[in-house]
Amino acid sequence: KNAVEAICHMVQDYQSRLAIRELHGFKSLLSLLESDYPIIQELSLTTLLRCTQDADNRTAIREVGGMEKLVDFIGNKDFEDLHVNCIAIISNCLEDHECMKLMQNNRGLEKLLTFVVDSTSHAMQQRAARAVGNAAKNADNRKIFRELESEKLIIALFSSDNIGVQGNAARALAIMAENSGSREAIGKLDGAPPLISLLNSENVEARTFASLALANMTSSNTANCSLVVQANGIEPLIALLNDNKFEPQANAAVSLTNIAADEGYRAEIQRLGVVQSLVNALQSSNSTVQAKATLAVAALVCDTETRTELRNYNGCERIVALLKSNNDQVRKCACWAINSCGNDLLTATDFCKHGALEILQDIATSNTRQSRFAKAGLDCLLNCNLSAKYSLNGEISPQNFIQDGFYDAGQLRQGRPFLSLEEFSKSPIDAKRPYLLVYTKNPIRKVETPVTQPTNEKKHSSRRREGRSKIRSREQKEREETAREEEQQLLLQQQLEEERKAAAGEWRPNYDATLANYIQDAQKNIQTLSNTREQVTTLAKFVSDKMGGTIEKANLPGFGYELHINQLKYELKSNIIPLGSISMGTFYHRAMLFKVIADRIGVSTSLIRGKYTRAWNEVLISDDPEPGQPRYPPKTYIVDLIHEPGRLLLLDSMEAKKYCRL
């Protein structure tokens, strides 16, 4: 007894543990398990427990048949008070895959699990479940547990009334569920309901491991997601987002993100008020919770109603704050949330209001922080805020349609904030370049001038449209219907916002009746023309006539548009000038007017800013082939709106370069 006790104290030092292995002392220590004296058995087990901290010692014990003796010791009910220490030794040994294979081959692992389930000792069950969890950290070991169908035995431990046993069983399942086969087995064996019941436990470990098990179970497994929903697991998961511990919060966010992959379940989660809880989770100081909660926002906040909730609960402000995080993963997740949620004007405006645009610009130009996520988030905000996009990038693509409320504030310098139209309206009148505004919302009709999607050559498109309409699937029609409904909801939301501002006496732009008339004239007289070339040339002449007519190159320096612009500024007592009020315009005035009207009549064109006062429009036009000749791809042209309105200049030609440069 004294000898074993002395060795037990000595093996706390690594060199002593090494000496025991070199002196082949493990066989003697294992033989002491058969002693008639419990104190000797206990000291022997404690010594072995300390020795199995080292991988080489675990190998030596396995080679002398130690695993079989340890399993036999557990099978002896006379030594039940010592089983906990024995399980701890086995737990250490099972971390080695070779020990797992040996236990599998001699059916020792199966015996061990059976002994644990049948045991009446809660301490024994807790330790055994923890041993399974530790062993399952190895991917190869998880495969062995799956082959033995160990999930059934672990789930049986939930019948215990001891919260410690239940928590360790949840931990074991959480780690085992990293294996796809185990995930399916846990679901089929009704493992979800007991895990969901633990989410409301006062025990922190039980909540943590139960939520982790559900997160792993629902990963890429729609069947398990269905089981969690059917077991009423959504509400406790949402409640867990408000937990005072970091791990349950993060696990709940992951679980909800996994379940939200199904559109029907996503709607159910939204209905139960997940947005407020997610915003609360975003307030966490833990980077893991911040990242997981932000991803959950990206997955769940995807329609008009939830985005409105996100704005009302100040979620946009919190997501923008996370863009400044020093954690790369948190920043990427925040960028992804902006990319997912900022697809409507009101939410994008809210993000910009809190500085998202400036922060994303800074990230995009950083050598250490830039990423594809930041670029995607920046592009999303710019596509929803074309005014900012044009000021920052100097270009609006044919896919971007200028809506009412667009304004040209000039080229924005890098790093400077982009101000809203209301902020510009408060600045005193100055001699600087004015801000050009597009606003055709009639305050009486409250109906926005419609934007027509661009079409191809009308001459050759009727048959193709007829053929496409015949083969268009029901799913496509449903998607189009959904898109139309969302667009109508957005327009209604914008109209209600305008009405709210009017009722509250807040600032709002003035109605540009002249521009609205221009658009109506173009829709009546130009949109009906037979092909795109005719539409472009006719519209170019129309724009030129409204903006002062043709200007010879020699007369361009003397074209006194500046005096006219300054007169308008003082008449309106504002630096903001409605585009339709300009009757003498140069390159950038005319190019903007051309783009605005072209979008409304379905002519696809871009708007590009050059240096100084230059700006131009690019269009794609196909040449009409001769009879029997092939049709070639369309070419890109720049539209002359100044010298010979309606003339098309082939891109990169000498004439085009002269038009675009001073």
Side-chain angles (χ1 to χ4, degrees):
K1 179 260 182 186
N2 291 338
V4 176
E5 187 174 4
I7 293 173
C8 183
H9 291 306
M10 292 170 64
V11 294
Q12 296 180 68
D13 177 68
Y14 171 75
Q15 295 297 332
S16 297
R17 297 198 294 272
L18 177 63
I20 289 179
R21 183 175 72 250
E22 292 175 347
L23 295 171
H24 308 289
F26 291 125
K27 193 170 184 179
S28 301
L29 285 170
L30 288 166
S31 66
L32 292 178
L33 296 179
E34 300 174 1
S35 171
D36 295 332
Y37 299 98
I39 185 61
I40 294 178
Q41 293 174 317
E42 183 179 0
L43 289 168
S44 176
L45 288 170
T46 304
T47 304
L48 290 169
L49 178 61
R50 290 172 178 171
C51 289
T52 51
Q53 296 174 18
D54 306 323
D56 292 335
N57 288 345
R58 294 195 288 267
T59 301
I61 290 173
R62 184 185 73 243
E63 290 173 350
V64 297
M67 300 305 297
E68 293 86 348
K69 291 184 178 180
L70 291 169
V71 172
D72 291 340
F73 187 83
I74 290 176
N76 192 332
K77 292 188 177 181
D78 294 337
F79 307 141
E80 196 166 8
D81 56 328
L82 299 173
H83 285 174
V84 174
N85 285 345
C86 188
I87 284 288
I89 298 170
I90 294 175
S91 175
N92 288 345
C93 293
L94 290 181
E95 293 181 18
D96 294 339
H97 182 58
E98 293 299 323
C99 287
M100 278 287 295
K101 286 177 64 178
L102 176 64
M103 291 278 282
Q104 181 189 23
N105 293 336
N106 61 19
R107 301 179 65 84
L109 195 57
E110 196 173 341
K111 291 179 183 177
L112 174 64
L113 292 171
T114 304
F115 291 153
V116 171
V117 173
D118 294 340
S119 175
T120 58
S121 169
H122 292 152
M124 167 76 168
Q125 291 177 326
Q126 283 188 53
R127 195 72 197 198
R130 184 167 289 275
V132 172
N134 290 342
K137 291 178 181 178
N138 183 295
D140 293 325
N141 290 351
R142 288 196 290 273
K143 293 179 182 178
I144 292 175
F145 281 126
R146 173 78 286 272
E147 291 171 5
L148 294 174
E149 298 182 350
S150 307
E151 300 86 3
K152 183 176 182 180
L153 296 172
I154 298 299
I155 291 173
L157 293 178
F158 285 121
S159 60
S160 171
D161 57 357
N162 184 276
I163 191 63
V165 174
Q166 294 176 354
N168 280 284
R171 175 179 179 271
L173 287 182
I175 300 172
M176 292 167 69
E178 294 179 23
N179 178 278
S180 59
S182 291
R183 283 200 289 271
E184 292 183 9
I186 294 169
K188 291 177 180 177
L189 293 168
D190 293 329
L195 289 171
I196 291 171
S197 66
L198 287 179
L199 297 180
N200 299 317
S201 172
E202 295 181 0
N203 185 282
V204 176
E205 281 198 1
R207 292 199 309 273
T208 299
F209 294 127
S211 57
L212 177 61
L214 290 171
N216 290 343
M217 271 180 63
T218 54
S219 175
S220 303
N221 194 305
T222 54
N224 283 349
C225 291
S226 301
L227 292 172
V228 173
V229 175
Q230 292 166 11
N232 300 318
I234 293 179
E235 283 193 79
L237 284 171
I238 292 176
L240 216 56
L241 291 172
N242 302 304
D243 200 274
N244 56 1
K245 297 296 181 181
F246 299 143
E247 296 89 345
Q249 279 184 299
N251 296 336
V254 173
S255 300
L256 292 169
T257 303
N258 294 339
I259 297 171
D262 183 276
E263 187 175 353
Y265 299 148
R266 181 168 64 247
E268 178 65 14
I269 296 172
Q270 293 168 342
R271 186 185 65 81
L272 292 171
V274 70
V275 177
Q276 184 176 8
S277 296
L278 282 173
V279 173
N280 290 339
L282 291 175
Q283 310 293 331
S284 172
S285 59
N286 181 270
S287 59
T288 302
V289 177
Q290 292 171 348
K292 302 302 183 185
T294 311
L295 284 179
V297 168
L300 288 159
V301 182
C302 53
D303 58 20
T304 303
E305 187 176 345
T306 51
R307 285 171 182 160
T308 302
E309 288 185 59
L310 184 69
R311 297 193 301 272
N312 292 341
Y313 291 125
N314 299 321
C316 295
E317 181 180 3
R318 183 54 189 161
I319 291 172
V320 172
L322 294 179
L323 289 174
K324 301 176 184 178
S325 172
N326 293 324
N327 186 288
D328 288 344
Q329 190 64 26
V330 172
R331 278 200 314 273
K332 289 177 181 178
C333 292
C335 292
W336 184 247
I338 289 175
N339 182 54
S340 300
C341 304
N343 288 318
D344 68 76
L345 180 61
L346 295 178
T347 307
T349 303
D350 205 25
F351 280 129
C352 293
K353 178 178 133 184
H354 293 105
L357 203 57
E358 293 76 22
I359 298 172
L360 286 171
Q361 288 179 61
D362 185 50
I363 293 174
T365 56
S366 170
N367 293 327
T368 56
R369 293 179 296 155
Q370 61 179 322
S371 68
R372 290 176 296 174
F373 296 94
K375 185 179 183 305
L378 181 59
D379 289 344
C380 176
L381 289 185
L382 292 179
N383 285 331
C384 285
N385 191 340
L386 294 185
S387 303
K389 182 176 185 178
Y390 191 45
S391 287
L392 182 64
N393 296 343
E395 180 176 354
I396 299 178
S397 71
Q399 290 75 35
N400 297 135
F401 301 97
I402 291 181
Q403 302 273 9
D404 286 328
F406 174 87
Y407 56 99
D408 176 12
Q411 186 67 42
L412 182 67
R413 292 181 182 178
Q414 191 70 36
R416 294 193 64 179
F418 181 76
L419 302 181
S420 67
L421 196 60
E422 186 174 355
E423 290 171 315
F424 281 128
S425 70
K426 297 176 182 177
S427 60
I429 300 174
D430 53 38
K432 296 179 181 178
R433 186 181 185 278
Y435 311 118
L436 306 182
L437 172 65
V438 176
Y439 198 81
T440 60
K441 287 182 181 177
N442 192 322
I444 299 175
R445 290 187 299 131
K446 294 185 174 62
V447 176
E448 187 181 28
T449 307
V451 176
T452 307
Q453 297 293 328
T455 59
N456 295 324
E457 300 288 321
K458 295 174 177 56
K459 199 174 188 179
H460 306 278
S461 63
S462 59
R463 287 186 181 178
R464 291 197 297 272
R465 283 200 303 269
E466 184 179 350
R468 283 197 298 269
S469 65
K470 290 180 180 178
I471 63 173
R472 189 162 51 181
S473 66
R474 181 179 301 174
E475 289 79 7
Q476 287 175 313
K477 291 181 180 178
E478 289 177 354
R479 283 196 295 269
E480 290 173 3
E481 186 68 28
T482 302
R484 281 194 294 270
E485 289 177 0
E486 289 183 355
E487 184 177 358
Q488 289 299 322
Q489 287 179 354
L490 178 58
L491 291 175
L492 178 61
Q493 192 175 0
Q494 291 174 338
Q495 181 175 312
L496 292 173
E497 181 69 12
E498 292 293 329
E499 291 175 355
R500 184 194 64 78
K501 286 185 177 181
E506 296 182 19
W507 181 88
R508 57 184 299 186
N510 293 323
Y511 169 54
D512 191 345
T514 306
L515 180 58
N517 290 332
Y518 289 169
I519 293 170
Q520 289 176 6
D521 290 345
Q523 289 171 338
K524 181 179 179 181
N525 302 316
I526 301 177
Q527 188 174 357
T528 55
L529 296 177
S530 58
N531 59 57
T532 304
R533 183 182 291 272
E534 283 188 60
Q535 289 178 319
V536 169
T537 55
T538 306
L539 178 58
K541 294 174 184 177
F542 178 86
V543 168
S544 176
D545 290 342
K546 301 302 181 184
M547 287 278 186
T550 302
I551 309 172
E552 297 293 335
K553 293 182 181 178
N555 298 332
L556 190 60
F559 184 65
Y561 73 92
E562 295 99 335
L563 178 60
H564 170 62
I565 296 297
N566 286 330
Q567 286 176 341
L568 287 175
K569 289 172 68 173
Y570 282 96
E571 286 175 8
L572 298 169
K573 295 181 174 55
S574 173
N575 292 317
I576 300 171
I577 296 180
L579 184 61
S581 65
I582 300 174
S583 58
M584 293 182 66
T586 186
F587 288 87
Y588 73 93
H589 304 113
R590 300 186 184 201
M592 182 172 168
L593 180 59
F594 184 92
K595 169 67 174 171
V596 170
I597 299 177
D599 283 348
R600 308 299 171 109
I601 65 173
V603 174
S604 179
T605 182
S606 62
L607 173 62
I608 302 173
R609 189 198 307 279
K611 292 184 178 180
Y612 304 103
T613 61
R614 298 296 165 117
W616 60 90
N617 306 100
E618 293 180 0
V619 294
L620 277 174
I621 297 180
S622 298
D623 295 325
D624 293 331
E626 296 293 331
Q629 296 297 316
R631 174 178 287 275
Y632 292 100
K635 297 177 182 178
T636 303
Y637 294 91
I638 290 175
V639 185
D640 187 344
L641 302 172
I642 301 288
H643 309 305
E644 295 181 41
R647 183 175 59 142
L648 299 178
L649 310 173
L650 189 63
L651 187 67
D652 293 331
S653 65
M654 185 58 65
E655 292 84 358
K657 291 179 180 177
K658 288 180 180 178
Y659 183 84
C660 298
R661 295 175 184 171
L662 191 62

